[in-house]
Amino acid sequence: MFPATTLQELADLLARGGVIAYPTETFYGLGCDPGNAEAVRRIFTLKGRPEGKPLPILLPEGDPERFGFRMTPIARRLSAAWPAPLSLIVPAEGYPDEVTAGTGTLAVRRSPHPFVAALMEHWKRPLVSTSANLTGEPATTRGADVFRAFGTRLACLVDGGDLPGRLGSTIVDCTGADPVVVRAGDYPFP
């Protein structure tokens, strides 16, 4: 939708506080640097998202603990399924309250979508990844719908064509003694 951009240019946009829209294995996502409080606030404003709701995070390859996520034994075991539409809620340190909503936890995952994997190779850091829709509206499977909702208020929109949609990622809380499914989704969880 916007002029063609290289992966490195997208990483540079994120580093400068830009908010981008991009395809994932399920829906389009909005992303920004979770360490940039202004960019995070921009996502809340764009979506009309109520404050007090944590933002999900995509992870690059490597140990999540080096990015401030404490992988409980349950989370370590379940993360063996990554990359997958499986988000694990784990303790998080060093992230602004705008991202964690003061919970001290975040839902993290690795996406199997080829574009996301390539972007993360260039970005090399955690990335906010929330659905690219207005709050209360259905998640978006078409780039044209993302453009209609957000237009040029985005730093960039990567149009990946029509996406499969489905249910979104399965979210599992891994902070207690046993895993708890918070949302059933595309990843089968017993």
Side-chain angles (χ1 to χ4, degrees):
M1 293 287 172
F2 296 146
T5 303
T6 67
L7 291 168
Q8 188 56 55
E9 288 170 332
L10 284 173
D12 293 344
L13 283 172
L14 291 167
R16 292 193 304 270
V19 173
I20 66 170
Y22 51 90
T24 74
E25 70 278 13
T26 54
F27 301 104
Y28 276 85
L30 292 179
C32 74
D33 178 353
N36 184 319
E38 183 180 324
V40 169
R41 281 191 293 276
R42 195 172 308 116
I43 283 185
F44 277 91
T45 300
L46 283 168
K47 286 180 63 80
R49 184 181 176 103
E51 291 184 18
K53 192 172 179 184
L55 290 168
I57 301 289
L58 285 175
L59 294 174
E61 289 297 321
D63 187 349
E65 296 209 359
R66 75 176 212 219
F67 299 111
F69 299 105
R70 188 166 56 80
M71 298 298 283
T72 63
I74 293 167
R76 282 256 179 242
R77 180 174 53 82
L78 294 176
S79 69
W82 288 345
L86 173 63
S87 297
L88 306 176
I89 298 174
V90 296
E93 295 177 2
Y95 290 88
D97 280 346
E98 291 88 353
V99 177
T100 67
T103 64
T105 64
L106 285 171
V108 297
R109 74 184 181 99
R110 285 202 181 97
S111 171
H113 192 279
F115 171 78
V116 174
L119 174 61
M120 296 307 279
E121 280 289 313
H122 284 78
W123 179 236
K124 299 185 186 313
R125 298 185 272 190
L127 178 69
V128 164
S129 183
T130 186
S131 58
N133 59 297
L134 300 172
T135 298
E137 296 293 321
T140 310
T141 59
R142 295 173 6 117
D145 294 336
V146 175
F147 186 77
R148 270 193 286 286
F150 303 110
T152 58
R153 295 180 294 159
L154 298 170
C156 187
L157 165 59
V158 177
D159 191 342
D162 290 352
L163 302 178
R166 301 187 299 237
L167 300 174
S169 68
T170 299
I171 302 174
V172 180
D173 187 336
C174 297
T175 60
D178 295 308
V180 176
V181 175
V182 175
R183 180 180 78 191
D186 283 335
Y187 186 82
F189 192 83

